[in-house]
Amino acid sequence: QVQLVQSGSELKKPGASVKVSCKASGYTFTSYAMNWVRQAPGQGLEWMGWINTNTGNPTYAQGFTGRFVFSLDTSVSTAYLQISSLKAEDTAVYYCARSPVGATGWFDPWGQGTLVTVSS
Amino acid sequence: QSVLTQPPSASGTPGQRVTISCSGSSSNIGSNYVYWYQQLPGTAPKLLIYSNNQRPSGVPDRFSGSKSGTSASLAISGLRSEDEADYYCAAWDDSLSGQVFGGGTKLTVL
């Protein structure tokens, strides 16, 4: 079955970096786009951007440029989200989600989410 | 503040029909498909409705979506206790060149 499995929770200090992985299985990885979505504690969903799994070209939403990097390792069907210079306000659950056509379509399935906690 | 506007809460009793609204603009709902997601407590969102009114396989026909102009609605009939969750609408926004979500509606089954 189609599924996305993300890496485990992370506890980081302010100023550190974190890399979240999202391993896809059950479909051809390069046939679908991969999106990243943030959910701060008790808050709603916020689209961070997407990466073209054919070309590796990332597109970042407003507010997610500079410290956020999307990348791929197509040999292991895995997408990555790296966040540098972490701040307390980066504390959130980060989801990866597959979409059929770029980022304009629906998101299905979603990974189980990775909680990133930034605290000194 | 979310680009798409949803009521923060909704409620109903078992068996009732409940609707959740989602209001947008000409650059998102008015010109693109609407999607709905269900997020059960402590879990990842799950696709409920795509392309305005289509249900993925496995989603009960108690769930239905509709769109008119710059607004959309999710209807849940025959409400069940397991429907208690947060519901989010989403659409592509041509002006922002990105996916936008509603703020979410917390559905309580009384």
Side-chain angles (χ1 to χ4, degrees), chain B residues 40-54:
Chain B
L40 296 169
T43 69
K46 168 193 161 186
L47 178 67
L48 205 58
I49 297 287
Y50 68 98
S51 300
N52 301 333
N53 55 17
Q54 301 299 301

Side-chain angles (χ1 to χ4, degrees), chain A residues 40-60:
Chain A
Q43 303 300 310
L45 305 172
E46 188 176 16
W47 182 71
M48 302 173 63
W50 70 289
I51 185 164
N52 184 319
T53 55
N54 266 308
T55 65
N57 182 49
T59 299
Y60 301 97

Side-chain angles (χ1 to χ4, degrees), chain A residues 39 47 95 103-105 107 110-111, chain B residues 35 37 39 44-45 88 92 98-99:
Chain A
Q39 186 169 37
W47 182 71
Y95 294 101
T104 62
F107 295 171
W110 295 58
Chain B
Y35 313 111
Y37 300 93
Q39 186 174 33
Y88 294 90
W92 180 261
Q99 280 274 350

Side-chain angles (χ1 to χ4, degrees), chain A residues 46-90:
Chain A
E46 188 176 16
W47 182 71
M48 302 173 63
W50 70 289
I51 185 164
N52 184 319
T53 55
N54 266 308
T55 65
N57 182 49
T59 299
Y60 301 97
Q62 294 174 15
F64 293 99
T65 55
R67 299 187 300 115
F68 301 84
V69 176
F70 306 149
S71 61
L72 305 169
D73 184 343
T74 56
S75 68
V76 290
S77 301
T78 301
Y80 300 94
L81 162 66
Q82 184 161 358
I83 312 171
S84 59
S85 302
L86 282 163
K87 308 174 182 180
E89 51 264 41
D90 293 323

Side-chain angles (χ1 to χ4, degrees), chain B:
Chain B
Q1 192 154 340
S2 303
V3 174
L4 305 181
T5 301
Q6 297 179 237
S9 63
S11 64
T13 56
Q16 265 192 330
R17 182 177 187 270
V18 169
T19 61
I20 297 172
S21 62
C22 176
S23 177
S25 68
S26 58
S27 64
N28 41 66
I29 292 178
S31 52
N32 294 293
Y33 286 123
V34 176
Y35 313 111
W36 289 92
Y37 300 93
Q38 177 193 58
Q39 186 174 33
L40 296 169
T43 69
K46 168 193 161 186
L47 178 67
L48 205 58
I49 297 287
Y50 68 98
S51 300
N52 301 333
N53 55 17
Q54 301 299 301
R55 284 187 312 277
S57 61
V59 174
D61 59 6
R62 302 187 296 106
F63 295 89
S64 62
S66 63
K67 172 183 140 176
S68 178
T70 58
S71 293
S73 291
L74 172 71
I76 310 171
S77 60
L79 201 60
R80 296 181 160 187
S81 58
E82 57 259 40
D83 298 333
E84 197 160 275
D86 293 325
Y87 292 84
Y88 294 90
C89 60
W92 180 261
D93 190 293
D94 294 329
S95 297
L96 297 174
S97 294
Q99 280 274 350
V100 291
F101 288 94
T105 297
K106 183 176 184 61
L107 175 64
T108 301
V109 181
L110 301 168

